[in-house]
Amino acid sequence: MGEVQIGNGVGWFELALLFLVPIKPNNLFSLSALRFWFLGLLSLRMANAMLHQTIGNLQLLSNSGTHYKVGNNSVRLLPKGFKLEVVFSKGGTYSTKFNVIQAPALQTSAVDPVLAPSNNGPNESHKKSNEAALILIRHGESLWNEKNLFTGCVDVPLTNKGVEEAIEAGKRISNIPVDMIYTSSLIRAQMTAMLAMTQHRRKKVPIIIHNESEEAKAWSQIYSEETTKQSVPVIAAWQLNERMYGELQGLNKQETADRFGNEKVHEWRRSYDIPPPNGESLEMCAHRAVAYFKENIEPQLLSGKNVTIAAHGNSLRSIIMYLDKLTSQEVISLELSTGIPMLYIFKEGRFIRRGSPVAPTEAGVYAYTRRLAQYRQKLDEMLH
């Protein structure tokens, strides 16, 4: 972070600003980049003209754009690659602060027309920003579920039944808004999320975000704003993986019970703080899953984003323990069916459990909140 003091003349500052242009082969002669810098210089000219009348502030933000306001004048631009702040003083001088940062691989500030604020009054938009839908889906049946094997963190795909369960889950949430999807790094959870979204009436395409390397970010970049608007970012995180079953992974559940005894196997599977040999307990799984939820997913809900999580029995059980404030004794008896979504409403900092949507045509599901009912109504109007 650097700071400099400059006098009244804008010329030197404009010249310095040009050195902050991110020089990359793929955007060196970009029309949008040139347009941004032209508007940036124009906004600074506006600022200079009004400096003697009032104090202003100009911020260039990599993810939310530029917001410049002096008096009743306001300019918003969309830069990439750095953060720049200009603070004006009454004495005719201004200081600048700039910090080079990296823009996310897939970000969009576009407003979904279905979710756009209606003309129901001045407070309607504010109310909506305080409410968001959270959908939890346990993955459909996997090939090792079918064979009655301990799966844990072994990466096993869905069976045909699991595929059907994922599609059915998608039908149940097809009228509920989805802005972001979080899933584990395991294929059975990712398949469930992708297949469920094929049934959503909004017809947005789920796209997995690849941030594992600079090459992965660059190679998976989308260059169409319209395509980005019709996409839903999917973020895969190992913290949402199933509980690691250690030396039980790949063993037949019944044969393991015969060998070690039903009581011991039940203790490994259903106790809160006793792990299987060289594996994780539910408590250990909850530590990583809940920490990730609080740090990464809850802020999205606070910003008004509607989030779907497709994950596993134990990672979802851990998150539900946090959402519903369950005790360690209550959570071990919690059972989650494969492919059955659970709906929560996040409002005013609270999670309200609404159960599972019964079907796309079930009226009661969409009467949970006025916002969900309005979303479905707008879908109907747009698609018919």
Side-chain angles (χ1 to χ4, degrees):
M1 179 75 72
E3 182 171 345
V4 295
Q5 296 285 339
I6 309 177
N8 269 348
V10 177
W12 282 106
F13 177 72
E14 293 171 352
L15 181 62
L17 185 61
L18 292 176
F19 285 95
L20 292 176
V21 179
I23 304 299
K24 296 181 180 178
N26 62 349
N27 69 358
L28 183 59
F29 300 104
S30 166
L31 181 61
S32 60
L34 291 173
R35 183 170 62 242
F36 161 70
W37 292 115
F38 174 77
L39 291 174
L41 296 178
L42 179 61
S43 68
L44 289 172
R45 289 293 185 187
M46 290 171 56
N48 190 50
M50 292 180 281
L51 273 176
H52 297 289
Q53 301 176 7
T54 183
I55 298 174
N57 181 278
L58 171 66
Q59 288 186 323
L60 307 184
L61 304 175
S62 71
N63 58 349
S64 59
T66 306
H67 186 235
Y68 170 61
K69 188 171 184 180
V70 178
N72 294 324
N73 299 279
S74 180
V75 176
R76 182 171 291 277
L77 310 174
L78 293 171
K80 288 185 180 179
F82 70 93
K83 175 179 178 180
L84 172 66
E85 183 175 349
V86 184
V87 182
F88 302 101
S89 67
K90 289 181 179 179
T93 64
Y94 52 81
S95 66
T96 68
K97 298 179 182 179
F98 61 89
N99 183 31
V100 178
I101 58 177
Q102 178 135 6
L106 176 62
Q107 290 289 338
T108 175
S109 59
V111 177
D112 189 328
V114 182
L115 292 171
S118 59
N119 298 321
N120 293 331
N123 296 323
E124 187 67 23
S125 177
H126 177 70
K127 289 179 181 178
K128 289 185 179 182
S129 66
N130 287 337
E131 179 183 313
L134 171 64
I135 300 168
L136 308 180
I137 308 175
R138 183 185 176 189
H139 66 80
E141 182 190 65
S142 75
L143 287 170
W144 278 15
N145 291 145
E146 183 183 46
K147 294 179 180 295
N148 200 33
L149 304 181
F150 285 102
T151 309
C153 287
V154 180
D155 209 357
V156 179
L158 300 178
T159 61
N160 288 334
K161 178 183 176 182
V163 169
E164 293 172 358
E165 288 176 328
I167 291 173
E168 179 60 28
K171 292 178 180 178
R172 292 175 182 240
I173 63 170
S174 62
N175 288 301
I176 299 176
V178 177
D179 300 313
M180 298 188 70
I181 298 173
Y182 287 85
T183 183
S184 77
S185 65
L186 303 175
I187 190 64
R188 57 191 186 272
Q190 295 179 17
M191 288 177 69
T192 299
M194 296 299 198
L195 289 167
M197 285 303 294
T198 65
Q199 304 302 305
H200 202 280
R201 295 177 67 204
R202 191 68 181 86
K203 299 301 180 184
K204 288 191 174 184
V205 178
I207 297 178
I208 295 179
I209 305 303
H210 289 283
N211 287 331
E212 56 268 27
S213 68
E214 290 301 320
E215 289 81 3
K217 291 179 184 179
W219 293 356
S220 61
Q221 187 172 350
I222 300 173
Y223 292 92
S224 167
E225 183 178 350
E226 184 59 32
T227 300
T228 300
K229 289 179 182 179
Q230 298 304 319
S231 305
V232 177
V234 180
I235 299 172
W238 70 267
Q239 293 91 335
L240 299 176
N241 282 7
E242 178 58 287
R243 176 159 70 111
M244 201 274 282
Y245 271 95
E247 296 177 12
L248 299 185
Q249 292 184 168
L251 301 184
N252 181 278
K253 295 176 181 178
Q254 185 56 53
E255 291 175 2
T256 304
D258 294 340
R259 178 182 174 187
F260 295 100
N262 288 324
E263 185 176 342
K264 174 56 71 175
V265 172
H266 181 78
E267 182 179 67
W268 286 335
R269 295 186 65 189
R270 287 293 179 259
S271 64
Y272 181 69
D273 55 1
I274 301 176
N278 293 317
E280 282 185 310
S281 64
L282 177 57
E283 182 181 32
M284 296 162 70
C285 177
H287 180 74
R288 60 172 164 85
V290 173
Y292 183 85
F293 180 90
K294 293 166 73 173
E295 183 177 347
N296 296 277
I297 300 176
E298 198 163 349
Q300 300 293 343
L301 295 165
L302 280 166
S303 71
K305 295 285 184 63
N306 302 285
V307 176
T308 292
I309 304 175
H312 308 266
N314 283 296
S315 55
L316 290 177
R317 190 178 285 119
S318 302
I319 291 172
I320 291 171
M321 180 184 183
Y322 167 69
L323 301 179
D324 292 350
K325 298 179 172 57
L326 303 179
T327 67
S328 58
Q329 289 302 310
E330 290 172 328
V331 73
I332 60 176
S333 61
L334 179 63
E335 293 291 342
L336 300 177
S337 300
T338 56
I340 303 296
M342 294 186 62
L343 174 65
Y344 283 81
I345 301 300
F346 182 73
K347 189 172 184 178
E348 297 176 353
R350 295 174 54 243
F351 290 96
I352 306 168
R353 185 173 179 175
R354 293 300 192 182
S356 176
V358 177
T361 57
E362 185 67 26
V365 172
Y366 309 103
Y368 285 145
T369 70
R370 180 181 178 186
R371 184 169 182 258
L372 286 185
Q374 289 176 335
Y375 178 81
R376 184 181 182 184
Q377 181 181 359
K378 289 183 179 181
L379 269 180
D380 290 340
E381 293 170 354
M382 185 178 71
L383 299 176
H384 290 92

